[in-house]
Amino acid sequence: MTEETKTFEPVIIGFTCNWCSYRAADLAGTSRMKYAPNVRLIRLMCSGRLDPTFVFKAFAGGADAVLVSGCHPGDCHYANQNFKAMRRYHLMERVLNQLGIESGRLKLLWASAAEGQIFANEITKFVEQVRLLGPLNWNTTSAEIPTEAAKEEVTA
Amino acid sequence: MEKKEKIGVYVCHCGTNIAGVVNVGEVSAWAGENLKDQGVVISRDYKFMCSSLGQELIQKDIKELGLTRVVVAACSPHLHEPTFRNACKGAGLNPYLCELVSIREQDSWVHTDKVAATAKAKAIIAGGVSRVVHHEPLTPLKVPINPATLIVGGGIAGIQAALEIADAGFPVYLVEREPSIGGHMAQFDKTFPTLDCSACILTPKMVQVGNHPNITLLTYSEVEKVDGYVGNFAATIRKHARSIIEKDCTGCGICWEKCPKKVVDNVFEAGMGNRKAVYVPFPQAVPKYPVIDRVNCTYYIKGTCKACEKFCPTNAIDFAQEDEVLNVEVGNIILATGYDPFDAHRITQYGYGRLANVYTSLEFERMSNAAGPTGGNIVMRDGKTIPKVVGIVHCVGSRDKNYNEYCSSICCMQSLKFAHLVQERTGAEVYNFYIDIRTPAKGYEEFYHRLLDEGTHFIRGKVAEISDAVRLPGEEGKLIMQVEDTLTGNQLRVPVDMAILSVGLEPRADSKALAKTFGISCSADGWFIERHPKLDPVATMTEGVYIAGCVQGPKDIPASVVQGAAAAARIMGKIQQKEISLEPIRATVNADTCSGCRICNSMCPFNAISFHEDTMVSEVNPALCQGCGTCVAACPAGAISGTGFSNIQILSQIDGLLLLTLDKKKEAVTA
């Protein structure tokens, strides 16, 4: 392990669904389970809400990895929308590869509202995995893509 | 941005819960200084933001500084989002212009590195600030509440809930899978610690349910499907064919008297007794109509017999009857489907099913019940020998990592009750093998002391094995219980005539499927998860769906009754309001940019999106939309927007979360 990878603290953006994985994160909190402080969570109502743009935006904005999490297949609060997230996950994996980003920087995690421990453990594992991959030295100017214009495009 | 928002940031210490790990003062000062560009005009920190003084602080700033957006950094939005939204509303700011970001559950409580946690808190707040700029004022959707309630499960919890609601004048549909309501309580002989007869306190309530004008009782029925949302659920209920015409049946009992087919009753009698192919589970069953068990009925097997039809004085037998499918509309739902006893076969070393005189607690309940298969006589499997020594094993299938880690909470008291009954009725010597005695409710400890005074033996140790292998003189024909007495450190071999396994409680075998039908979650063990483990034990994450009794976790009769009544009270409170506010998180299609590709149409599991052939655009029906946002993400034209979780809100939040990271990277590049 080089000096750099030892001290490298990856920044990870995590997408959680309101019903299972965000509550798993809450449970990890109320149970005072400890995990690595590298993940910053965004709450969506459902993992099905995850627009692949969000993931690419996170990478472009400087994140070293992205976590996508939702209810277990079959447990979706909205019938089966997490399956749609799963399909998009595989699609995004391929696109990332084409962009030259290791697929290990994108993780799909199913966690029910009762699985705080699993959520915490998996985050710590993921952080270690990304630490080994090193920083994502994506062209930092890409973050300078006029974001306002990009936003208008997607919301138009 | 045409108009600059004025944002207030409020960072909560939560006593030391947050401030112990996150440097709250630093975070607050940083936000006030560095997020000015985003529109932050004031940033404060306070001991307890949720206190009335904390809320007043926010309200004062809204009024005096003319804040247009508020970001509170405190606990999870699942806890205090309503609190802060209401505070903003009180000061005249639309509640949806307030964003609560979690720096407790997602930061201070899960991290120990103070520097990293403080940096994370800054990022989280920056994310919230970037996001809140794009919030729009929203109004909750108001929908009327259907005053009817669906209760699934007719055990004591369901019965209590049904009576509470029906007595208040609201309609109830009570659905029970078995032919009669009553649940496990109907099988018991005595209830601890008062030893009053279970049937004597339960059956009057059952009769009340059966006769109540506001209760529609659907026994031998199951809920197949539930659609809709709080206030307006539509349930599909399958009423299995009883083969009995209910309106003609008087419950006289001639059919089961004449029925020639005996069947071992594995449900109500726990395999200890027989019933007929046409039967009521027990004499006090409600409703009184029998059921023909088509699997075992000779007519359905061989095509002949019809003895019941021949003798029925009111011609109420209908062999051709078919299942009936009912659709009912209700505003709220209570799930009270109870538990399954732990299957003692799984612990092979206890010999249940192999050694005749090893009983489960449910078998013992039936045996000690005066209306049970032995008429209340406690005898061994031969049906006549009275046991002289009886061993009771506690914690069977509970507090054991091989089976269930949790404590089933009722087994100690149940075992003490058995010990008392055995001693009272047979004079036998009784051994209790326990790990710990747990008697935490009113009158329970006193009952334990009563048992100690009665001379029952208590041996602290987990039974390793029950066998019939004779090793020492005096063990012939006995069951040998091998146990280490952990108080004296001695290995014991206790010869007994009868062993009773006090089995724990488990979630119903089909609990996961049931949870899925009703859109709620199960814990890892399979018990249904309540909204809050302390403060909201009967509500679930799904609005309008409540849980009561053992379906939520192991509990005794008083606790089940409490939960049934509590769930009922919650629902009656909702019904009284006549309408309910729903989160206005809905998708809407912009007809101008919709290309009519119809990709979104197939995405929606609620059929909320319809396509207009004439204008060639799709439209979302807000009454059906549940707000998941899958269509928003799927729309290739970006024509669908999701209120509360719009693209620009999420993208801005990503920007904010990465603000610090980006600065650092830029520095690295320029350096």
Side-chain angles (χ1 to χ4, degrees):
Chain A
M1 202 185 269
T2 65
E3 203 50 43
E4 193 195 345
T5 50
K6 246 187 229 169
T7 53
F8 166 57
E9 287 296 338
V11 172
I12 301 173
I13 296 289
F15 293 95
T16 57
C17 77
N18 183 52
W19 305 98
C20 294
S21 46
Y22 194 84
R23 286 177 203 264
D26 271 359
L27 179 65
T30 43
S31 318
R32 312 295 203 277
M33 295 160 181
K34 304 297 177 209
Y35 58 87
N38 305 56
V39 179
R40 291 141 194 201
L41 297 182
I42 292 180
R43 180 168 64 112
L44 302 172
M45 287 310 278
C46 176
S47 53
R49 174 66 183 89
L50 186 84
D51 189 325
T53 319
F54 300 165
V55 173
F56 300 126
K57 166 79 180 168
F59 279 119
D64 298 297
V66 174
L67 173 77
V68 175
S69 64
C71 311
H72 283 277
D75 280 355
C76 181
H77 186 78
Y78 302 101
N80 51 18
Q81 304 300 62
N82 49 0
F83 282 97
K84 282 143 198 165
M86 186 160 70
R87 284 188 224 155
R88 288 176 193 151
Y89 164 76
H90 292 300
L91 186 72
M92 288 186 282
E93 229 181 4
R94 288 175 60 180
V95 174
L96 284 177
N97 275 327
Q98 287 165 5
L99 293 172
I101 296 179
E102 302 91 332
S103 51
R105 294 185 186 273
L106 181 65
K107 183 186 171 74
L108 181 66
L109 167 64
W110 303 131
S112 81
E115 294 175 341
Q117 188 69 62
I118 290 175
F119 190 83
N121 293 349
E122 287 295 316
I123 284 192
T124 304
K125 260 165 58 188
F126 187 40
V127 170
E128 285 313 313
Q129 180 184 325
V130 179
R131 213 191 292 273
L132 289 177
L133 288 171
L136 175 64
N137 287 318
W138 227 19
N139 187 359
T140 40
T141 53
S142 63
E144 298 296 324
I145 290 172
T147 41
E148 286 305 317
K151 279 176 209 160
E152 269 156 35
E153 206 174 297
V154 282
T155 49
Chain B
M1 234 173 293
E2 62 288 353
K3 181 177 140 263
K4 187 91 172 165
E5 301 297 347
K6 286 182 164 182
I7 307 169
V9 173
Y10 299 89
V11 189
C12 181
H13 292 235
C14 195
T16 56
N17 282 310
I18 295 171
V21 179
V22 172
N23 187 336
V24 174
E26 184 192 322
V27 169
S28 165
W30 176 86
E33 194 57 39
N34 294 58
L35 298 175
K36 269 184 190 157
D37 291 350
Q38 270 90 342
V40 173
V41 293
I42 183 82
S43 179
R44 296 183 193 276
D45 59 282
Y46 190 69
K47 273 256 171 264
F48 290 101
M49 224 66 227
C50 61
S51 67
S52 55
L53 286 174
Q55 293 184 46
E56 279 165 22
L57 203 66
I58 301 173
Q59 292 181 323
K60 196 163 154 258
D61 285 350
I62 293 173
K63 286 178 189 152
E64 290 179 1
L65 301 173
L67 297 183
T68 58
R69 298 287 188 276
V70 169
V71 173
V72 182
C75 48
S76 166
H78 289 142
L79 190 64
H80 270 310
E81 192 173 64
T83 313
F84 293 112
R85 280 185 174 172
N86 277 334
C88 290
K89 195 176 165 193
L93 188 68
N94 183 287
Y96 294 91
L97 299 178
C98 167
E99 172 77 358
L100 175 56
V101 294
S102 169
I103 57 166
R104 192 179 73 172
E105 281 83 348
Q106 258 111 65
D107 193 359
S108 68
W109 273 355
V110 287
H111 306 317
T112 41
D113 181 342
K114 291 185 182 179
V115 177
T118 304
K120 183 172 172 179
K122 286 178 189 170
I124 291 172
I125 291 169
V129 168
S130 307
R131 186 189 207 278
V132 82
V133 173
H134 302 285
H135 277 208
E136 285 165 10
L138 303 172
T139 351
L141 301 171
K142 297 264 186 194
V143 291
I145 293 184
N146 187 319
T149 302
L150 170 67
I151 299 177
V152 187
I156 184 60
I159 288 173
Q160 183 70 28
L163 288 175
E164 299 273 357
I165 297 173
D167 284 344
F170 303 113
V172 171
Y173 296 94
L174 180 57
V175 176
E176 166 60 47
R177 176 153 62 180
E178 296 299 326
S180 168
I181 56 169
H184 282 112
M185 190 177 166
Q187 293 171 282
F188 301 160
D189 176 33
K190 295 279 191 282
T191 56
F192 56 75
T194 47
L195 296 175
D196 38 0
C197 145
S198 185
C200 314
I201 54 178
L202 176 67
T203 49
K205 277 183 180 286
M206 290 165 55
V207 173
Q208 253 182 299
V209 168
N211 293 336
H212 209 296
N214 290 334
I215 299 179
T216 308
L217 184 55
L218 300 165
T219 52
Y220 211 45
S221 305
E222 288 180 81
V223 178
E224 290 199 323
K225 197 168 139 232
V226 178
D227 287 320
Y229 49 90
V230 58
N232 298 280
F233 290 107
T236 310
I237 299 165
R238 177 171 295 268
K239 202 163 176 254
H240 297 293
R242 285 184 113 94
S243 311
I244 303 289
I245 303 163
E246 290 180 18
K247 69 175 173 50
D248 295 335
C249 176
T250 60
C252 67
I254 289 176
C255 55
W256 66 81
E257 206 172 280
K258 298 292 180 190
C259 177
K261 181 73 179 273
K262 266 191 189 170
V263 183
V264 175
D265 186 352
N266 281 318
V267 179
F268 190 78
E269 296 291 4
M272 297 283 288
N274 297 325
R275 59 166 169 81
K276 296 292 184 66
V278 53
Y279 70 105
V280 289
F282 52 103
Q284 307 99 316
V286 172
K288 62 192 176 201
Y289 324 118
V291 167
I292 297 182
D293 166 10
R294 292 191 177 183
V295 175
N296 290 303
C297 169
T298 310
Y299 172 74
Y300 287 99
I301 297 169
K302 293 186 182 153
T304 55
C305 179
K306 293 196 172 185
C308 48
E309 189 182 52
K310 210 173 295 162
F311 288 100
C312 177
T314 57
N315 295 321
I317 308 282
D318 177 6
F319 289 108
Q321 199 178 54
E322 284 177 5
D323 287 2
E324 214 180 314
V325 177
L326 305 168
N327 292 303
V328 302
E329 292 185 348
V330 296
N332 292 281
I333 296 170
I334 299 175
L335 298 176
T337 51
Y339 67 92
D340 278 336
F342 174 81
D343 178 7
H345 288 102
R346 287 170 59 193
I347 308 184
T348 48
Q349 63 269 34
Y350 286 172
Y352 177 69
R354 183 162 46 86
L355 304 172
N357 289 307
V358 177
Y359 290 79
T360 65
S361 39
L362 202 55
E363 284 178 327
F364 184 82
E365 287 283 2
R366 291 313 299 154
M367 183 158 63
S368 67
N369 193 312
T374 60
N377 293 319
I378 295 170
V379 287
M380 299 187 359
R381 291 274 185 203
D382 63 7
K384 51 180 196 286
T385 315
I386 295 169
K388 292 194 181 64
V389 186
V390 175
I392 302 173
V393 186
H394 293 222
C395 302
V396 176
S398 311
R399 304 186 67 199
D400 184 335
K401 289 202 170 172
N402 297 312
Y403 306 101
N404 295 307
E405 208 177 332
Y406 55 80
C407 166
S408 288
S409 95
I410 55 108
C411 331
C412 277
M413 285 304 292
Q414 162 181 284
S415 306
L416 295 179
K417 174 181 79 178
F418 294 164
H420 174 84
L421 292 176
V422 168
Q423 223 164 24
E424 185 185 65
R425 296 201 190 153
T426 66
E429 211 173 342
V430 183
Y431 288 88
N432 273 282
F433 301 96
Y434 69 98
I435 307 177
D436 295 294
I437 293 284
R438 296 184 168 179
T439 54
K442 195 175 176 184
Y444 288 11
E445 181 71 8
E446 292 88 331
F447 188 71
Y448 172 41
H449 281 270
R450 177 173 167 188
L451 263 289
L452 288 172
D453 293 342
E454 281 174 5
T456 310
H457 304 291
F458 285 87
I459 295 176
R460 187 173 185 275
K462 197 172 164 64
V463 173
E465 188 192 30
I466 301 173
S467 77
D468 56 357
V470 178
R471 252 202 264 155
L472 304 168
E475 290 181 352
E476 297 85 359
K478 299 269 188 184
L479 294 171
I480 319 300
M481 308 188 76
Q482 177 75 46
V483 62
E484 181 192 347
D485 183 336
T486 56
L487 295 180
T488 61
N490 291 325
Q491 285 289 341
L492 303 178
R493 285 172 67 82
V494 182
V496 300
D497 297 312
M498 177 191 274
I500 304 168
L501 307 179
S502 201
V503 294
L505 313 187
E506 284 196 332
R508 289 278 186 195
D510 56 354
S511 71
K512 294 235 156 93
L514 189 76
K516 209 177 148 190
T517 306
F518 290 90
I520 62 171
S521 350
C522 293
S523 68
D525 297 318
W527 305 109
F528 290 178
I529 301 180
E530 59 278 21
R531 186 174 272 262
H532 192 282
K534 287 136 220 158
L535 302 179
D536 210 349
V538 293
T540 65
M541 303 296 185
T542 304
E543 280 284 333
V545 179
Y546 296 82
I547 49 179
C550 284
V551 77
Q552 182 249 354
K555 54 179 65 64
D556 54 18
I557 294 166
S560 298
V561 170
V562 165
Q563 283 205 332
R570 292 288 296 277
I571 288 175
M572 289 186 288
K574 294 265 184 229
I575 300 172
Q576 290 286 8
Q577 292 169 18
K578 303 226 167 26
E579 56 177 18
I580 189 158
S581 297
L582 296 182
E583 281 285 285
I585 297 169
R586 294 289 180 269
T588 44
V589 179
N590 181 342
D592 293 336
T593 48
C594 173
S595 66
C597 70
R598 308 186 65 171
I599 284 175
C600 58
N601 295 192
S602 60
M603 285 286 151
C604 183
F606 309 106
N607 298 319
I609 310 180
S610 52
F611 184 69
H612 295 289
E613 295 283 352
D614 48 345
T615 51
M616 296 297 278
V617 292
S618 294
E619 193 191 17
V620 178
N621 178 348
L624 294 175
C625 177
Q626 302 289 295
C628 69
T630 307
C631 58
V632 187
C635 180
I640 310 181
S641 62
T643 324
F645 291 84
S646 69
N647 283 339
I648 194 160
Q649 285 169 354
I650 307 295
L651 291 172
S652 305
Q653 190 175 1
I654 297 173
D655 269 340
L657 285 174
L658 293 169
L659 191 67
L660 282 170
T661 319
L662 208 54
D663 289 347
K664 218 190 263 173
K665 289 210 168 174
K666 273 186 203 158
E667 270 167 35
V669 169
T670 50

